[in-house]
CSV table of all heavy atoms in Angstrom, one decimal:
chain,number,residue,atom,x,y,z
A,1,MET,N,-9.5,67.8,-126.5
A,1,MET,CA,-9.2,69.1,-127.1
A,1,MET,C,-7.7,69.3,-126.9
A,1,MET,O,-7.1,69.0,-125.9
A,1,MET,CB,-10.0,70.3,-126.5
A,1,MET,CG,-9.6,71.6,-127.0
A,1,MET,SD,-10.5,73.0,-126.3
A,1,MET,CE,-12.2,72.6,-126.8
A,2,ALA,N,-7.1,69.9,-127.9
A,2,ALA,CA,-5.6,70.2,-127.9
A,2,ALA,C,-5.4,71.7,-127.6
A,2,ALA,O,-6.2,72.5,-128.1
A,2,ALA,CB,-5.0,69.8,-129.2
A,3,PHE,N,-4.4,72.0,-126.8
A,3,PHE,CA,-4.1,73.3,-126.5
A,3,PHE,C,-2.6,73.6,-126.9
A,3,PHE,O,-1.7,72.8,-126.7
A,3,PHE,CB,-4.2,73.6,-125.0
A,3,PHE,CG,-5.6,73.4,-124.5
A,3,PHE,CD1,-5.9,72.2,-124.0
A,3,PHE,CD2,-6.5,74.4,-124.5
A,3,PHE,CE1,-7.2,72.0,-123.5
A,3,PHE,CE2,-7.8,74.2,-124.1
A,3,PHE,CZ,-8.2,73.0,-123.5
A,4,THR,N,-2.4,74.7,-127.5
A,4,THR,CA,-1.1,75.2,-128.0
A,4,THR,C,-0.6,76.3,-127.1
A,4,THR,O,-1.3,77.2,-126.9
A,4,THR,CB,-1.1,75.6,-129.4
A,4,THR,OG1,-1.6,74.6,-130.3
A,4,THR,CG2,0.3,76.0,-129.9
A,5,ILE,N,0.6,76.1,-126.5
A,5,ILE,CA,1.3,77.1,-125.7
A,5,ILE,C,2.2,77.8,-126.6
A,5,ILE,O,3.1,77.2,-127.2
A,5,ILE,CB,2.0,76.5,-124.5
A,5,ILE,CG1,1.1,75.7,-123.6
A,5,ILE,CG2,2.7,77.6,-123.7
A,5,ILE,CD1,1.2,74.3,-123.7
A,6,HIS,N,2.0,79.1,-126.8
A,6,HIS,CA,2.9,80.0,-127.6
A,6,HIS,C,3.8,80.8,-126.6
A,6,HIS,O,3.3,81.4,-125.8
A,6,HIS,CB,2.1,80.9,-128.4
A,6,HIS,CG,1.0,80.3,-129.2
A,6,HIS,ND1,1.1,79.9,-130.5
A,6,HIS,CD2,-0.3,79.9,-128.8
A,6,HIS,CE1,0.0,79.4,-130.9
A,6,HIS,NE2,-0.9,79.4,-129.9
A,7,ALA,N,5.1,80.7,-126.8
A,7,ALA,CA,6.0,81.5,-125.9
A,7,ALA,C,7.1,82.1,-126.8
A,7,ALA,O,7.6,81.5,-127.7
A,7,ALA,CB,6.6,80.5,-124.9
A,8,SER,N,7.4,83.3,-126.4
A,8,SER,CA,8.5,84.0,-127.1
A,8,SER,C,9.3,84.8,-126.0
A,8,SER,O,8.9,85.2,-125.0
A,8,SER,CB,8.0,85.0,-128.1
A,8,SER,OG,7.1,86.0,-127.5
A,9,ARG,N,10.6,84.9,-126.3
A,9,ARG,CA,11.5,85.6,-125.5
A,9,ARG,C,12.7,86.0,-126.4
A,9,ARG,O,13.3,85.2,-127.1
A,9,ARG,CB,12.0,84.8,-124.3
A,9,ARG,CG,13.0,85.5,-123.4
A,9,ARG,CD,13.4,84.7,-122.2
A,9,ARG,NE,14.0,83.4,-122.6
A,9,ARG,CZ,14.3,82.5,-121.7
A,9,ARG,NH1,14.2,82.6,-120.4
A,9,ARG,NH2,14.9,81.4,-122.2
A,10,ASP,N,13.0,87.3,-126.3
A,10,ASP,CA,14.1,87.8,-127.2
A,10,ASP,C,13.7,87.5,-128.7
A,10,ASP,O,12.7,87.8,-129.1
A,10,ASP,CB,15.5,87.4,-126.8
A,10,ASP,CG,15.8,87.8,-125.4
A,10,ASP,OD1,15.4,88.9,-124.9
A,10,ASP,OD2,16.5,87.0,-124.7
A,11,SER,N,14.6,86.8,-129.3
A,11,SER,CA,14.3,86.3,-130.7
A,11,SER,C,13.9,84.9,-130.8
A,11,SER,O,13.8,84.3,-131.9
A,11,SER,CB,15.5,86.6,-131.6
A,11,SER,OG,16.6,85.8,-131.2
A,12,ASP,N,13.6,84.3,-129.7
A,12,ASP,CA,13.2,82.8,-129.7
A,12,ASP,C,11.7,82.7,-129.6
A,12,ASP,O,11.0,83.5,-129.0
A,12,ASP,CB,13.8,82.1,-128.5
A,12,ASP,CG,15.3,82.1,-128.5
A,12,ASP,OD1,15.9,81.9,-129.6
A,12,ASP,OD2,16.0,82.2,-127.5
A,13,PHE,N,11.2,81.7,-130.3
A,13,PHE,CA,9.8,81.4,-130.3
A,13,PHE,C,9.5,80.0,-130.3
A,13,PHE,O,10.2,79.2,-131.0
A,13,PHE,CB,9.1,82.1,-131.5
A,13,PHE,CG,7.6,81.8,-131.6
A,13,PHE,CD1,6.8,82.6,-130.8
A,13,PHE,CD2,7.1,80.8,-132.4
A,13,PHE,CE1,5.4,82.4,-130.9
A,13,PHE,CE2,5.7,80.6,-132.5
A,13,PHE,CZ,4.9,81.4,-131.7
A,14,VAL,N,8.7,79.5,-129.3
A,14,VAL,CA,8.4,78.0,-129.3
A,14,VAL,C,6.9,77.8,-129.2
A,14,VAL,O,6.2,78.7,-128.7
A,14,VAL,CB,9.1,77.3,-128.1
A,14,VAL,CG1,10.6,77.4,-128.2
A,14,VAL,CG2,8.7,78.0,-126.8
A,15,GLN,N,6.4,76.7,-129.7
A,15,GLN,CA,5.1,76.3,-129.6
A,15,GLN,C,5.1,74.9,-129.0
A,15,GLN,O,5.8,74.0,-129.5
A,15,GLN,CB,4.3,76.3,-130.9
A,15,GLN,CG,4.0,77.7,-131.4
A,15,GLN,CD,3.2,77.7,-132.7
A,15,GLN,OE1,3.1,76.6,-133.4
A,15,GLN,NE2,2.6,78.8,-133.0
A,16,THR,N,4.2,74.6,-128.1
A,16,THR,CA,4.2,73.3,-127.4
A,16,THR,C,2.7,72.9,-127.4
A,16,THR,O,1.8,73.7,-127.0
A,16,THR,CB,4.7,73.3,-126.0
A,16,THR,OG1,6.0,73.8,-126.0
A,16,THR,CG2,4.7,72.0,-125.3
A,17,LEU,N,2.4,71.6,-127.7
A,17,LEU,CA,1.1,71.1,-127.8
A,17,LEU,C,0.8,70.2,-126.5
A,17,LEU,O,1.7,69.4,-126.1
A,17,LEU,CB,0.9,70.2,-129.0
A,17,LEU,CG,-0.5,69.7,-129.2
A,17,LEU,CD1,-1.5,70.8,-129.5
A,17,LEU,CD2,-0.5,68.6,-130.3
A,18,ARG,N,-0.3,70.5,-125.9
A,18,ARG,CA,-0.7,69.7,-124.7
A,18,ARG,C,-2.2,69.3,-124.9
A,18,ARG,O,-3.0,70.1,-125.4
A,18,ARG,CB,-0.6,70.4,-123.4
A,18,ARG,CG,0.8,70.8,-123.0
A,18,ARG,CD,1.6,69.5,-122.6
A,18,ARG,NE,2.9,69.8,-122.0
A,18,ARG,CZ,4.0,70.0,-122.7
A,18,ARG,NH1,4.0,70.0,-124.0
A,18,ARG,NH2,5.1,70.2,-122.0
A,19,LEU,N,-2.6,68.1,-124.5
A,19,LEU,CA,-3.9,67.6,-124.7
A,19,LEU,C,-4.7,67.9,-123.4
A,19,LEU,O,-6.0,68.1,-123.4
A,19,LEU,CB,-4.0,66.1,-125.0
A,19,LEU,CG,-3.4,65.8,-126.4
A,19,LEU,CD1,-3.5,64.3,-126.6
A,19,LEU,CD2,-4.0,66.5,-127.5
A,20,ASP,N,-4.1,67.8,-122.2
A,20,ASP,CA,-4.7,68.1,-121.0
A,20,ASP,C,-4.7,69.5,-120.6
A,20,ASP,O,-3.6,70.1,-120.6
A,20,ASP,CB,-4.0,67.2,-119.9
A,20,ASP,CG,-4.6,67.4,-118.5
A,20,ASP,OD1,-5.8,67.1,-118.4
A,20,ASP,OD2,-3.8,67.8,-117.6
A,21,PRO,N,-5.8,70.1,-120.2
A,21,PRO,CA,-5.8,71.5,-119.9
A,21,PRO,C,-4.9,71.9,-118.6
A,21,PRO,O,-4.3,72.9,-118.6
A,21,PRO,CB,-7.3,71.9,-119.6
A,21,PRO,CG,-8.0,70.6,-119.5
A,21,PRO,CD,-7.2,69.6,-120.2
A,22,HIS,N,-4.9,71.0,-117.7
A,22,HIS,CA,-4.0,71.2,-116.5
A,22,HIS,C,-2.6,71.1,-116.9
A,22,HIS,O,-1.8,72.0,-116.3
A,22,HIS,CB,-4.4,70.2,-115.4
A,22,HIS,CG,-5.8,70.3,-114.9
A,22,HIS,ND1,-6.2,71.4,-114.1
A,22,HIS,CD2,-6.9,69.6,-115.1
A,22,HIS,CE1,-7.4,71.2,-113.8
A,22,HIS,NE2,-7.9,70.2,-114.4
A,23,ALA,N,-2.2,70.2,-117.7
A,23,ALA,CA,-0.8,70.1,-118.2
A,23,ALA,C,-0.4,71.4,-119.0
A,23,ALA,O,0.7,71.9,-118.9
A,23,ALA,CB,-0.6,68.9,-119.0
A,24,ALA,N,-1.4,71.9,-119.8
A,24,ALA,CA,-1.1,73.1,-120.6
A,24,ALA,C,-0.9,74.3,-119.7
A,24,ALA,O,0.0,75.1,-119.9
A,24,ALA,CB,-2.3,73.3,-121.6
A,25,ALA,N,-1.8,74.4,-118.7
A,25,ALA,CA,-1.7,75.5,-117.7
A,25,ALA,C,-0.3,75.4,-116.9
A,25,ALA,O,0.4,76.4,-116.7
A,25,ALA,CB,-2.8,75.5,-116.8
A,26,GLN,N,0.1,74.2,-116.5
A,26,GLN,CA,1.3,74.0,-115.8
A,26,GLN,C,2.5,74.4,-116.6
A,26,GLN,O,3.4,75.1,-116.2
A,26,GLN,CB,1.4,72.6,-115.3
A,26,GLN,CG,2.6,72.3,-114.5
A,26,GLN,CD,2.7,70.8,-114.1
A,26,GLN,OE1,2.0,70.0,-114.6
A,26,GLN,NE2,3.4,70.6,-113.0
A,27,LYS,N,2.5,74.0,-117.9
A,27,LYS,CA,3.7,74.3,-118.8
A,27,LYS,C,3.7,75.8,-119.1
A,27,LYS,O,4.8,76.5,-119.1
A,27,LYS,CB,3.5,73.6,-120.1
A,27,LYS,CG,4.6,73.8,-121.1
A,27,LYS,CD,5.9,73.4,-120.6
A,27,LYS,CE,7.0,73.6,-121.8
A,27,LYS,NZ,8.3,73.2,-121.3
A,28,ALA,N,2.5,76.4,-119.3
A,28,ALA,CA,2.5,77.9,-119.5
A,28,ALA,C,3.0,78.7,-118.3
A,28,ALA,O,3.7,79.6,-118.5
A,28,ALA,CB,1.0,78.3,-119.9
A,29,ARG,N,2.6,78.3,-117.1
A,29,ARG,CA,3.1,79.0,-115.9
A,29,ARG,C,4.6,78.8,-115.8
A,29,ARG,O,5.2,79.7,-115.4
A,29,ARG,CB,2.3,78.4,-114.7
A,29,ARG,CG,0.9,79.0,-114.6
A,29,ARG,CD,0.3,78.6,-113.2
A,29,ARG,NE,0.2,77.2,-113.0
A,29,ARG,CZ,-0.9,76.5,-113.2
A,29,ARG,NH1,-2.0,77.1,-113.7
A,29,ARG,NH2,-1.0,75.2,-113.0
A,30,ALA,N,5.1,77.6,-116.1
A,30,ALA,CA,6.5,77.4,-116.0
A,30,ALA,C,7.3,78.3,-116.9
A,30,ALA,O,8.3,78.9,-116.6
A,30,ALA,CB,6.9,75.9,-116.2
A,31,LEU,N,6.8,78.4,-118.2
A,31,LEU,CA,7.5,79.3,-119.1
A,31,LEU,C,7.4,80.7,-118.7
A,31,LEU,O,8.3,81.5,-118.8
A,31,LEU,CB,6.8,79.1,-120.5
A,31,LEU,CG,7.2,77.8,-121.2
A,31,LEU,CD1,6.3,77.5,-122.4
A,31,LEU,CD2,8.7,77.8,-121.7
A,32,LEU,N,6.2,81.2,-118.2
A,32,LEU,CA,6.1,82.5,-117.7
A,32,LEU,C,7.1,82.8,-116.6
A,32,LEU,O,7.7,83.9,-116.6
A,32,LEU,CB,4.6,82.7,-117.2
A,32,LEU,CG,4.3,84.2,-116.9
A,32,LEU,CD1,4.3,85.1,-118.1
A,32,LEU,CD2,2.9,84.2,-116.2
A,33,ARG,N,7.2,81.9,-115.6
A,33,ARG,CA,8.2,82.1,-114.5
A,33,ARG,C,9.6,82.2,-115.0
A,33,ARG,O,10.5,82.8,-114.4
A,33,ARG,CB,8.0,81.0,-113.5
A,33,ARG,CG,6.8,81.1,-112.6
A,33,ARG,CD,6.9,80.1,-111.4
A,33,ARG,NE,7.0,78.7,-111.8
A,33,ARG,CZ,5.9,77.9,-112.0
A,33,ARG,NH1,4.7,78.4,-111.9
A,33,ARG,NH2,6.1,76.7,-112.4
A,34,ALA,N,9.9,81.5,-116.1
A,34,ALA,CA,11.2,81.5,-116.7
A,34,ALA,C,11.5,82.7,-117.6
A,34,ALA,O,12.6,82.9,-118.2
A,34,ALA,CB,11.4,80.2,-117.5
A,35,GLY,N,10.5,83.7,-117.6
A,35,GLY,CA,10.7,84.9,-118.4
A,35,GLY,C,10.2,85.0,-119.8
A,35,GLY,O,10.5,85.9,-120.5
A,36,TRP,N,9.4,84.0,-120.2
A,36,TRP,CA,8.9,84.0,-121.5
A,36,TRP,C,7.6,84.8,-121.5
A,36,TRP,O,6.8,84.8,-120.5
A,36,TRP,CB,8.6,82.6,-122.0
A,36,TRP,CG,9.8,81.8,-122.2
A,36,TRP,CD1,10.6,81.2,-121.2
A,36,TRP,CD2,10.5,81.4,-123.5
A,36,TRP,NE1,11.7,80.5,-121.8
A,36,TRP,CE2,11.6,80.7,-123.2
A,36,TRP,CE3,10.1,81.7,-124.8
A,36,TRP,CZ2,12.4,80.2,-124.2
A,36,TRP,CZ3,10.9,81.2,-125.8
A,36,TRP,CH2,12.1,80.5,-125.5
A,37,ASP,N,7.2,85.4,-122.7
A,37,ASP,CA,5.9,85.9,-122.9
A,37,ASP,C,5.0,84.7,-123.4
A,37,ASP,O,5.4,84.1,-124.4
A,37,ASP,CB,5.9,87.0,-124.0
A,37,ASP,CG,6.6,88.3,-123.5
A,37,ASP,OD1,6.5,88.6,-122.3
A,37,ASP,OD2,7.4,88.9,-124.3
A,38,VAL,N,3.9,84.5,-122.8
A,38,VAL,CA,3.2,83.2,-123.1
A,38,VAL,C,1.7,83.5,-123.3
A,38,VAL,O,1.1,84.4,-122.6
A,38,VAL,CB,3.3,82.2,-121.8
A,38,VAL,CG1,2.6,81.0,-122.1
A,38,VAL,CG2,4.8,82.0,-121.5
A,39,HIS,N,1.1,82.8,-124.2
A,39,HIS,CA,-0.3,82.7,-124.3
A,39,HIS,C,-0.7,81.3,-124.8
A,39,HIS,O,0.1,80.6,-125.4
A,39,HIS,CB,-0.9,83.8,-125.2
A,39,HIS,CG,-0.7,83.7,-126.6
A,39,HIS,ND1,0.4,84.3,-127.2
A,39,HIS,CD2,-1.4,83.1,-127.6
A,39,HIS,CE1,0.4,84.0,-128.5
A,39,HIS,NE2,-0.7,83.3,-128.8
A,40,VAL,N,-1.9,80.9,-124.5
A,40,VAL,CA,-2.4,79.6,-124.8
A,40,VAL,C,-3.7,79.7,-125.6
A,40,VAL,O,-4.6,80.5,-125.4
A,40,VAL,CB,-2.8,78.8,-123.5
A,40,VAL,CG1,-3.4,77.4,-123.8
A,40,VAL,CG2,-1.6,78.7,-122.6
A,41,THR,N,-3.8,78.8,-126.7
A,41,THR,CA,-4.9,78.8,-127.6
A,41,THR,C,-5.4,77.4,-127.8
A,41,THR,O,-4.6,76.4,-127.6
A,41,THR,CB,-4.6,79.4,-129.0
A,41,THR,OG1,-3.6,78.7,-129.6
A,41,THR,CG2,-4.2,80.9,-128.9
A,42,ASP,N,-6.7,77.2,-128.2
A,42,ASP,CA,-7.1,75.9,-128.7
A,42,ASP,C,-7.1,75.8,-130.2
A,42,ASP,O,-6.6,76.8,-130.8
A,42,ASP,CB,-8.5,75.6,-128.1
A,42,ASP,CG,-9.6,76.5,-128.6
A,42,ASP,OD1,-9.4,77.3,-129.6
A,42,ASP,OD2,-10.7,76.5,-127.9
A,43,GLN,N,-7.6,74.7,-130.7
A,43,GLN,CA,-7.6,74.5,-132.2
A,43,GLN,C,-8.4,75.6,-132.9
A,43,GLN,O,-8.1,75.9,-134.1
A,43,GLN,CB,-8.1,73.1,-132.5
A,43,GLN,CG,-7.3,72.0,-131.9
A,43,GLN,CD,-8.2,71.0,-131.2
A,43,GLN,OE1,-9.0,71.3,-130.4
A,43,GLN,NE2,-7.9,69.8,-131.5
A,44,ALA,N,-9.4,76.1,-132.3
A,44,ALA,CA,-10.2,77.2,-133.0
A,44,ALA,C,-9.6,78.6,-132.8
A,44,ALA,O,-10.2,79.5,-133.4
A,44,ALA,CB,-11.6,77.1,-132.4
A,45,GLY,N,-8.5,78.7,-132.1
A,45,GLY,CA,-7.9,80.0,-131.9
A,45,GLY,C,-8.4,80.8,-130.7
A,45,GLY,O,-7.9,81.9,-130.4
A,46,GLN,N,-9.3,80.2,-129.9
A,46,GLN,CA,-9.7,80.8,-128.6
A,46,GLN,C,-8.5,80.9,-127.7
A,46,GLN,O,-7.8,79.9,-127.5
A,46,GLN,CB,-10.8,79.9,-128.0
A,46,GLN,CG,-11.2,80.2,-126.6
A,46,GLN,CD,-11.9,81.5,-126.4
A,46,GLN,OE1,-12.9,81.8,-127.2
A,46,GLN,NE2,-11.5,82.4,-125.5
A,47,ARG,N,-8.4,82.1,-127.1
A,47,ARG,CA,-7.3,82.2,-126.1
A,47,ARG,C,-7.8,81.8,-124.7
A,47,ARG,O,-8.9,82.0,-124.4
A,47,ARG,CB,-6.8,83.7,-126.1
A,47,ARG,CG,-6.0,83.9,-127.4
A,47,ARG,CD,-5.4,85.3,-127.4
A,47,ARG,NE,-4.3,85.4,-126.5
A,47,ARG,CZ,-3.4,86.4,-126.6
A,47,ARG,NH1,-3.5,87.3,-127.4
A,47,ARG,NH2,-2.4,86.4,-125.7
A,48,TYR,N,-6.8,81.3,-123.9
A,48,TYR,CA,-7.1,80.9,-122.5
A,48,TYR,C,-6.2,81.6,-121.5
A,48,TYR,O,-5.0,81.7,-121.8
A,48,TYR,CB,-7.0,79.4,-122.4
A,48,TYR,CG,-8.1,78.6,-123.1
A,48,TYR,CD1,-8.0,78.5,-124.5
A,48,TYR,CD2,-9.2,78.1,-122.4
A,48,TYR,CE1,-9.0,77.8,-125.1
A,48,TYR,CE2,-10.2,77.5,-123.1
A,48,TYR,CZ,-10.1,77.3,-124.4
A,48,TYR,OH,-11.1,76.6,-125.1
A,49,TRP,N,-6.7,81.9,-120.3
A,49,TRP,CA,-5.9,82.3,-119.2
A,49,TRP,C,-5.5,81.1,-118.5
A,49,TRP,O,-6.3,80.2,-118.3
A,49,TRP,CB,-6.7,83.3,-118.3
A,49,TRP,CG,-6.0,83.7,-117.1
A,49,TRP,CD1,-6.3,83.5,-115.8
A,49,TRP,CD2,-4.8,84.4,-117.1
A,49,TRP,NE1,-5.4,84.0,-115.0
A,49,TRP,CE2,-4.4,84.6,-115.7
A,49,TRP,CE3,-3.9,85.0,-118.0
A,49,TRP,CZ2,-3.3,85.3,-115.3
A,49,TRP,CZ3,-2.8,85.7,-117.6
A,49,TRP,CH2,-2.5,85.8,-116.3
A,50,PHE,N,-4.2,81.0,-118.1
A,50,PHE,CA,-3.7,79.8,-117.5
A,50,PHE,C,-3.3,79.9,-116.1
A,50,PHE,O,-2.7,79.0,-115.5
A,50,PHE,CB,-2.5,79.3,-118.3
A,50,PHE,CG,-1.4,80.4,-118.6
A,50,PHE,CD1,-0.5,80.7,-117.6
A,50,PHE,CD2,-1.5,81.2,-119.7
A,50,PHE,CE1,0.5,81.6,-117.8
A,50,PHE,CE2,-0.5,82.1,-119.9
A,50,PHE,CZ,0.4,82.4,-118.9
A,51,ASP,N,-3.5,81.0,-115.4
A,51,ASP,CA,-3.1,81.2,-114.0
A,51,ASP,C,-4.3,81.0,-113.1
A,51,ASP,O,-4.5,81.7,-112.2
A,51,ASP,CB,-2.5,82.6,-113.8
A,51,ASP,CG,-1.7,82.6,-112.6
A,51,ASP,OD1,-1.3,81.6,-112.1
A,51,ASP,OD2,-1.5,83.8,-112.1
A,52,ALA,N,-5.1,79.9,-113.4
A,52,ALA,CA,-6.3,79.6,-112.6
A,52,ALA,C,-6.0,78.3,-111.9
A,52,ALA,O,-5.4,77.4,-112.5
A,52,ALA,CB,-7.5,79.6,-113.4
A,53,SER,N,-6.6,78.1,-110.8
A,53,SER,CA,-6.4,76.8,-110.1
A,53,SER,C,-7.0,75.6,-110.8
A,53,SER,O,-6.6,74.5,-110.6
A,53,SER,CB,-6.9,76.9,-108.6
A,53,SER,OG,-8.3,77.2,-108.7
A,54,ASP,N,-8.0,75.9,-111.6
A,54,ASP,CA,-8.7,74.8,-112.3
A,54,ASP,C,-8.1,74.6,-113.7
A,54,ASP,O,-8.8,73.9,-114.5
A,54,ASP,CB,-10.2,75.1,-112.4
A,54,ASP,CG,-10.6,76.4,-113.0
A,54,ASP,OD1,-9.7,77.2,-113.2
A,54,ASP,OD2,-11.7,76.5,-113.3
A,55,GLY,N,-7.0,75.1,-114.0
A,55,GLY,CA,-6.3,74.8,-115.3
A,55,GLY,C,-6.5,76.0,-116.2
A,55,GLY,O,-5.8,77.0,-116.0
A,56,LEU,N,-7.3,75.9,-117.2
A,56,LEU,CA,-7.5,76.9,-118.2
A,56,LEU,C,-8.8,77.6,-118.2
A,56,LEU,O,-9.8,76.9,-118.0
A,56,LEU,CB,-7.2,76.4,-119.6
A,56,LEU,CG,-5.8,75.9,-119.9
A,56,LEU,CD1,-5.8,75.1,-121.2
A,56,LEU,CD2,-4.8,76.9,-119.8
A,57,VAL,N,-8.9,78.9,-118.4
A,57,VAL,CA,-10.2,79.6,-118.4
A,57,VAL,C,-10.2,80.4,-119.7
A,57,VAL,O,-9.3,81.1,-120.1
A,57,VAL,CB,-10.3,80.6,-117.2
A,57,VAL,CG1,-11.5,81.4,-117.3
A,57,VAL,CG2,-10.1,79.9,-115.9
A,58,PRO,N,-11.3,80.2,-120.5
A,58,PRO,CA,-11.4,80.9,-121.8
A,58,PRO,C,-11.5,82.4,-121.5
A,58,PRO,O,-12.1,82.9,-120.6
A,58,PRO,CB,-12.8,80.4,-122.4
A,58,PRO,CG,-13.1,79.2,-121.7
A,58,PRO,CD,-12.4,79.3,-120.3
A,59,LEU,N,-10.8,83.2,-122.4
A,59,LEU,CA,-10.8,84.6,-122.3
A,59,LEU,C,-11.9,85.2,-123.3
A,59,LEU,O,-12.1,84.6,-124.3
A,59,LEU,CB,-9.5,85.2,-122.7
A,59,LEU,CG,-8.3,85.0,-121.8
A,59,LEU,CD1,-7.0,85.5,-122.4
A,59,LEU,CD2,-8.5,85.7,-120.5
A,60,LYS,N,-12.5,86.3,-122.8
A,60,LYS,CA,-13.4,87.0,-123.7
A,60,LYS,C,-12.6,88.1,-124.4
A,60,LYS,O,-11.6,88.6,-123.8
A,60,LYS,CB,-14.6,87.6,-122.9
A,60,LYS,CG,-15.4,86.5,-122.2
A,60,LYS,CD,-16.5,87.2,-121.4
A,60,LYS,CE,-17.0,86.3,-120.3
A,60,LYS,NZ,-16.2,86.1,-119.2
A,61,ILE,N,-13.1,88.6,-125.5
A,61,ILE,CA,-12.4,89.6,-126.2
A,61,ILE,C,-12.2,90.9,-125.4
A,61,ILE,O,-11.2,91.6,-125.6
A,61,ILE,CB,-13.2,89.9,-127.5
A,61,ILE,CG1,-12.3,90.7,-128.5
A,61,ILE,CG2,-14.5,90.7,-127.3
A,61,ILE,CD1,-11.2,89.9,-129.1
A,62,ASP,N,-13.1,91.2,-124.4
A,62,ASP,CA,-12.9,92.4,-123.6
A,62,ASP,C,-12.1,92.2,-122.4
A,62,ASP,O,-11.9,93.1,-121.6
A,62,ASP,CB,-14.3,93.0,-123.3
A,62,ASP,CG,-15.2,92.1,-122.5
A,62,ASP,OD1,-14.9,90.9,-122.5
A,62,ASP,OD2,-16.2,92.5,-122.0
A,63,ASP,N,-11.5,91.0,-122.2
A,63,ASP,CA,-10.6,90.8,-121.0
A,63,ASP,C,-9.4,91.6,-121.2
A,63,ASP,O,-8.9,91.8,-122.3
A,63,ASP,CB,-10.3,89.3,-120.9
A,63,ASP,CG,-11.5,88.5,-120.3
A,63,ASP,OD1,-12.3,89.1,-119.6
A,63,ASP,OD2,-11.5,87.3,-120.5
A,64,PRO,N,-8.8,92.1,-120.1
A,64,PRO,CA,-7.6,93.0,-120.2
A,64,PRO,C,-6.4,92.4,-120.8
A,64,PRO,O,-5.5,93.1,-121.3
A,64,PRO,CB,-7.4,93.5,-118.8
A,64,PRO,CG,-8.1,92.5,-117.9
A,64,PRO,CD,-9.3,92.0,-118.8
A,65,ILE,N,-6.3,91.1,-120.8
A,65,ILE,CA,-5.1,90.4,-121.3
A,65,ILE,C,-5.0,90.5,-122.8
A,65,ILE,O,-3.9,90.4,-123.4
A,65,ILE,CB,-5.1,88.9,-120.8
A,65,ILE,CG1,-4.4,89.0,-119.5
A,65,ILE,CG2,-4.5,88.0,-121.7
A,65,ILE,CD1,-3.9,87.7,-119.0
A,66,TRP,N,-6.1,90.7,-123.5
A,66,TRP,CA,-6.0,90.8,-125.0
A,66,TRP,C,-5.2,92.0,-125.3
A,66,TRP,O,-4.6,92.3,-126.2
A,66,TRP,CB,-7.4,91.0,-125.6
A,66,TRP,CG,-8.1,89.6,-125.7
A,66,TRP,CD1,-9.1,89.2,-124.9
A,66,TRP,CD2,-8.0,88.6,-126.8
A,66,TRP,NE1,-9.5,87.9,-125.3
A,66,TRP,CE2,-8.8,87.6,-126.5
A,66,TRP,CE3,-7.1,88.5,-127.9
A,66,TRP,CZ2,-8.9,86.5,-127.2
A,66,TRP,CZ3,-7.2,87.4,-128.6
A,66,TRP,CH2,-8.1,86.4,-128.3
């Protein structure tokens, strides 16, 4: 499965593709620490939380991050 990391800061926007969920989580956390607004999605548009020790965790629509 492929994961897309979406990041924005000021007027900049980047998207990065990762195949490994742990690599996607690591890249997302690095961008967040660098001051970017970040979210991760899969090919179907499902959003994932990336601050978990096991990589990525699917979010539900009622999770507070939405």
